[in-house]
Amino acid sequence: MRRSLALLPLGLLLLAVAEIAVFAAVAHALGALWAVLLVGLSSIAGLALLRREGIRGWRSFRSAAEAGRPPGHQVSNSLVGLLGALLLALPGFVSGVAGLLLIVPPVRPLARRAVERFAERRLSAAVAGDLFGPRRVRVRMSDPVGEPAPAPAAPVAEVTPGPVVSGEVVEGEIVR
C-alpha cells in the first residue's frame, strides 16, 4: 500500500501530461474553441451525474439497510458510479473517457466486481460477510500429509445460502 502511495505523484504527473497531449491533439483537429467547449460540457455533465449518482447510491443503500439485506452491492455500484461521474467532471479528455466507461452499463458490473474483490481482500472475512452477504466458497479436501486428495467420482455441488434458521450460530473464517 505504501509503495502505491509513493507512485501516486508520478501517476498524476503522467496523467497531466497525457491530458495536455490529448487536448492539444483535439484542439488541433477540431479547433481550440470546440475543444474547450467539449471539455466544459463534459465537466458540467459530470457534475450533474455526480449529484444524481450520489442521491441514487444513498437511496439504494437505505433501502437495502431497511430491508435487512447486506448493502455491499449497492455501495460498490454507487462507488463505481461516483468515480465515473467524478472522472467525467474533471477537465480533460482522458479522464472524461475513463469516467464515461465507468458509467456505461457493459463496463459498470465489471468494475463493481473489481471493487468488491478489492474490498474482500482488504477486509476481514466477518466484515466482508456483513457487507456483501454470505460468500460462495469451494473447498478442496487434502490429505493430512499435504498431498491433494484424489478427485471425487461425482461432481461436487456448490453450496448456496439457504433460508435463515434460528438456533446456534457458528462463525468461522476460511484459512488457506
Side-chain angles (χ1 to χ4, degrees):
M1 181 71 173
R2 293 181 197 267
R3 191 167 108 192
S4 62
L5 286 178
L7 295 176
L8 184 64
L10 179 63
L12 290 175
L13 179 66
L14 290 175
L15 178 64
V17 169
E19 290 283 7
I20 291 170
V22 170
F23 182 82
V26 170
H28 181 70
L30 298 178
L33 182 62
W34 285 107
V36 170
L37 188 64
L38 281 173
V39 167
L41 287 176
S42 70
S43 293
I44 291 170
L47 289 173
L49 278 173
L50 193 61
R51 181 173 186 260
R52 184 187 76 141
E53 289 293 328
I55 291 170
R56 181 191 291 175
W58 178 250
R59 285 182 183 157
S60 64
F61 172 77
R62 284 188 52 208
S63 68
E66 288 171 0
R69 292 175 293 157
H73 299 296
Q74 285 81 9
V75 169
S76 58
N77 193 30
S78 61
L79 277 176
V80 169
L82 285 170
L83 180 63
L86 182 65
L87 286 174
L88 194 59
L90 291 176
F93 290 109
V94 175
S95 62
V97 168
L100 197 60
L101 282 176
L102 287 176
I103 291 174
V104 296
V107 179
R108 196 168 184 163
L110 298 173
R112 180 180 53 88
R113 281 192 288 264
V115 167
E116 289 174 6
R117 281 192 304 261
F118 178 78
E120 286 174 351
R121 283 194 307 263
R122 298 284 183 202
L123 301 173
S124 70
V127 173
D130 288 343
L131 188 59
F132 299 114
R135 310 308 309 158
R136 299 177 112 194
V137 295
R138 212 174 258 199
V139 179
R140 181 194 277 180
M141 305 293 285
S142 64
D143 289 337
V145 188
E147 299 174 10
V156 178
E158 289 188 23
V159 177
T160 57
V164 177
V165 178
S166 62
E168 185 177 341
V169 176
V170 177
E171 292 188 19
E173 189 170 314
I174 298 173
V175 180
R176 291 186 180 182

